[in-house]
Amino acid sequence: MATSGPIKKSGADWWRGAVIYQIYPRSYQAPDGSGSGTLKGITRRLPHVASLGVDAIWLSPFFKSPMADMGYDVSDYCDVDPLFGTLSDFDEMVAEAHRLGLKVMVDQVISHSSDQHPWFKESRTSRDNPKADWYIWADPKPDGTAPNNWLSIFGGPAWEWDGVRRQYYMHNFLTSQPDLNFHNPDVQDALLDTVKFWLERGVDGFRLDTVNYYFHDKLLRDNPPMQIQVEGAAQDAPDTNPYTYQNHLYDKTQPENIAFLKRLRALLDQYEDRATVGEVGDGYRSLETVAAYTAGDDKLHMCYTFDLLSPDFSAAHIRKCVTAVETQASNGWICWAFSNHDVQRHVTRFMQPGDSQDRVAKIALTTLLSLRGSVCLYQGEELGLTEADIAYEDLQDPYGMRFWPAFKGRDGCRTPMVWEAGQLYGGFSTVKPWLPVPEEHRIRAVDVQQGLAGSVLSHYRDTLAFRASHPAMTEGDFHFLQVNQDLLAFTRRQGDQALLFVFNLTREGQSFIVPDTVSVKEQLALPGFKPGFDGGVVKLDGFDAFCATIG
């Protein structure tokens, strides 16, 4: 198993077409005697990550935090929570990642902080202290109710009453996650200082949590109702949540954000080869927002949306999403993903009764890696893991507790990584872990799939190597071919290399007739698939894929 090697893409544009592997620190590797993952545990397992052939890792939050929202409630932006280790542990992890040829991106959560952050503790003491307007405070309506109708994604109003100031403060998530006031230049300066802190420690970039939530409407205008649901549009919350009933015109995605993103980019440009990827949750406007945030070279490098984080794994849906990116954000850059720490694992979302779990995992990866853009993979994907069914008494996620049982939260995709099938907790820990390890996960551990021909893990390594050896897949132009809606067919071209891809995302066999305008030179051995090709006709089984060089 390869454990080191050169970074596949170097220089300022390393992120363009990069494959980024997301690690959820609490669930990756725990030390002996602990049921919770640490930075040292991540360092221990980095050779596995490098062996996949990815370009970078993205670490979910490890900052000091009360852990009300599993680290997305930060109480100190410039320190490691003792749960995960120390700053020295972080430095050692970065050094090892770089030795193995991996870039390191950290999850920067700056739209809000914890209510235990010193900034907020000071802000709430009075209306005239030095940090009085570092957060979003507002007077009640004459009847004492909240300033407007804005809602929290985690349920209920986006406003919480504070008895000392006798005002409401805004929170897009938990009441213990007050939103920072980006209209205050001092707040921007302080947050950019925290970004600089990690840049100085050698990180290669940032995943920016809820990047379109930074600013709010100064006039605090009510959001109008969502008059019509746009078919196929990504949703920012499950439909069991009344958050989806509003058209969120005023509580996020404000025009002032562009200027701040330029400030952020200017800071990163002071350092060599750094990159940003922004999380955009903006419903039917997501791709429009991506275009605004990534166009040119003075804002974000790339963004990802929720568009492919849906249950729809069809040629029609993927074609619609990709076409929208190619038309609306042609001057920007997208980062595609099927899974992350906030959504049900995609193998579960895409599978139907009778489907092969491995086959679904393989066709999903190959499809994802063939699209134009960068890619985020989520830990455990490479094992073909399904969503874990977590009992209510084992839940840790406040989101799931709030909307149970209609929405079970995010714990099902955050369960521990499984390394050794012969160990009670899958080699993640020697004691009971913070979330259960499902039996169906344990038997798919890394050591079971390691070196096993035909395994999902082998497929990931082989397909990532295939992508890395074909520049057209990482940087090439993208062009759809007109076909039956049950098939996905497109070309990728870069320099002298041109590739034809055909995907059958249905469960029945399909045939594809190569158009007269496309001249097939040679069928390529796409890892994991053996479609037939004869006389210009491609014959694909269900969940099958074809690739060839073309003229």
Side-chain angles (χ1 to χ4, degrees):
M1 178 176 69
T3 58
S4 63
I7 296 173
K8 290 167 216 46
K9 293 189 66 178
S10 59
D13 285 341
W14 67 265
W15 51 272
R16 192 178 292 273
V19 179
I20 304 165
Y21 181 90
Q22 181 191 357
I23 293 175
Y24 195 75
R26 198 168 184 178
S27 293
Y28 210 61
Q29 179 66 66
D32 290 344
S34 170
S36 189
T38 63
L39 293 175
K40 280 187 175 293
I42 293 171
T43 303
R44 173 186 166 190
R45 296 298 188 180
L46 283 177
H48 165 77
V49 181
S51 76
L52 296 175
V54 301
D55 301 283
I57 60 172
W58 146 28
L59 296 179
S60 290
F62 52 85
F63 313 110
K64 196 169 184 181
S65 165
M67 298 294 158
D69 187 23
M70 304 301 119
Y72 282 87
D73 50 320
V74 179
S75 58
D76 188 340
Y77 287 102
C78 298
D79 202 359
V80 173
D81 193 275
L83 182 71
F84 299 115
T86 65
L87 281 170
S88 294
D89 295 339
F90 177 81
D91 293 339
E92 291 174 7
M93 184 208 66
V94 172
E96 177 66 0
H98 287 167
R99 186 187 73 81
L100 293 171
L102 295 167
K103 301 282 191 179
V104 177
M105 306 184 80
V106 299
D107 210 329
Q108 201 73 2
V109 189
I110 58 176
S111 69
H112 53 266
S113 75
S114 165
D115 62 356
Q116 298 305 303
H117 196 291
W119 297 345
F120 186 73
K121 287 184 174 181
E122 181 176 353
S123 184
R124 75 189 314 177
T125 60
S126 68
R127 298 190 184 192
D128 57 2
N129 67 79
K131 292 185 172 56
D133 63 347
W134 277 44
Y135 292 81
I136 303 166
W137 295 93
D139 291 329
K141 290 180 179 178
D143 63 358
T145 56
N148 60 28
N149 71 345
W150 296 352
L151 296 174
S152 163
I153 288 183
F154 284 179
W159 298 96
E160 180 71 5
W161 177 254
D162 182 82
V164 175
R165 285 187 54 143
R166 297 186 180 183
Q167 285 182 306
Y168 285 93
Y169 66 84
M170 181 186 170
H171 60 92
N172 269 301
F173 299 93
L174 295 175
T175 58
S176 58
Q177 292 171 293
D179 275 60
L180 285 149
N181 180 18
F182 275 72
H183 290 290
N184 185 334
D186 292 338
V187 171
Q188 295 187 30
D189 292 345
L191 291 170
L192 289 174
D193 283 344
T194 70
V195 172
K196 184 175 181 179
F197 176 85
W198 296 105
L199 287 168
E200 292 290 335
R201 297 197 91 87
V203 304
D204 302 289
F206 301 91
R207 180 265 188 184
L208 299 167
D209 185 64
T210 58
V211 71
N212 59 309
Y213 285 65
Y214 293 168
F215 284 83
H216 67 288
D217 175 47
K218 279 187 173 182
L219 300 178
L220 303 182
R221 286 172 284 188
D222 280 353
N223 283 327
M226 182 64 76
Q227 298 288 353
I228 184 171
Q229 293 290 343
V230 179
E231 184 179 357
Q235 285 194 321
D236 303 337
D239 58 11
T240 55
N241 187 341
Y243 187 86
T244 62
Y245 287 33
Q246 289 188 359
N247 188 356
H248 293 271
L249 295 182
Y250 298 117
D251 53 350
K252 60 185 179 183
T253 321
Q254 298 304 292
E256 295 93 334
N257 205 24
I258 297 293
F260 174 75
L261 296 180
K262 289 182 177 181
R263 290 194 67 193
L264 176 66
R265 177 62 176 267
L267 172 61
L268 262 71
D269 285 348
Q270 295 175 25
Y271 299 80
E272 289 187 0
D273 306 343
R274 309 301 167 98
T276 51
V277 54
E279 177 198 29
V280 173
D282 206 15
Y284 67 92
R285 293 184 299 264
S286 286
L287 294 177
E288 178 184 333
T289 303
V290 168
Y293 287 6
T294 63
D297 58 0
D298 60 349
K299 294 178 285 296
L300 300 182
H301 296 80
M302 51 186 168
C303 288
Y304 77 86
T305 71
F306 301 164
D307 292 82
L308 291 187
L309 302 177
S310 77
D312 193 344
F313 184 57
S314 67
H317 178 66
I318 293 174
R319 185 184 295 107
K320 179 178 179 179
C321 293
V322 173
T323 299
V325 169
E326 293 294 313
T327 55
Q328 296 182 44
S330 59
N331 293 323
W333 195 255
I334 192 77
C335 188
W336 298 110
F338 279 148
S339 284
N340 65 26
H341 64 294
D342 280 335
V343 297
Q344 187 182 59
R345 286 189 176 272
H346 70 261
V347 171
T348 295
R349 297 201 317 271
F350 297 164
M351 277 181 63
Q352 295 182 12
D355 286 346
S356 162
Q357 183 174 338
D358 285 8
R359 190 74 172 178
V360 171
K362 291 175 182 179
I363 190 67
L365 174 74
T366 305
T367 303
L368 193 68
L369 292 182
S370 302
L371 302 179
R372 182 175 182 266
S374 301
V375 171
C376 278
L377 304 177
Y378 180 53
Q379 65 180 56
E381 271 191 51
E382 72 271 29
L383 306 177
L385 298 187
T386 52
E387 183 81 354
D389 187 13
I390 306 297
Y392 182 81
E393 56 268 25
D394 291 327
L395 284 186
Q396 302 288 331
D397 182 15
Y399 200 2
M401 295 175 189
R402 174 65 177 80
F403 287 99
W404 180 278
F407 172 63
K408 296 184 178 181
R410 304 164 294 178
D411 287 331
C413 66
R414 297 177 174 183
T415 54
M417 183 71 174
V418 283
W419 301 100
E420 301 164 25
Q423 300 298 315
L424 177 61
Y425 302 118
F428 167 75
S429 63
T430 55
V431 299
K432 184 178 180 180
W434 76 289
L435 281 173
V437 177
E439 175 65 13
E440 61 269 24
H441 285 193
R442 187 183 63 80
I443 61 176
R444 299 182 69 89
V446 171
D447 69 340
V448 172
Q449 300 193 39
Q450 178 69 39
L452 180 63
S455 69
V456 174
L457 178 57
S458 293
H459 181 79
Y460 266 65
R461 288 177 175 148
D462 293 344
T463 307
L464 281 161
F466 184 89
R467 174 184 166 100
S469 65
H470 292 85
M473 293 181 70
T474 57
E475 301 180 49
D477 293 338
F478 187 99
H479 177 69
F480 274 123
L481 300 179
Q482 294 297 320
V483 295
N484 182 296
Q485 289 294 304
D486 289 337
L487 294 175
L488 198 65
F490 51 84
T491 60
R492 303 293 311 275
R493 296 178 184 272
Q494 172 71 17
D496 295 333
Q497 188 178 86
L499 302 176
L500 167 67
F501 287 94
V502 185
F503 291 91
N504 178 15
L505 304 185
T506 74
R507 290 154 181 84
E508 305 296 331
Q510 301 279 347
S511 293
F512 171 76
I513 300 175
V514 178
D516 293 338
T517 55
V518 176
S519 174
V520 173
K521 290 184 175 180
E522 178 186 7
Q523 180 178 355
L524 298 180
L526 193 60
F529 303 100
K530 295 181 179 180
F533 179 64
D534 184 32
V537 178
V538 181
K539 294 184 178 180
L540 303 109
D541 292 332
F543 288 148
D544 206 354
F546 171 83
C547 181
T549 58
I550 57 176

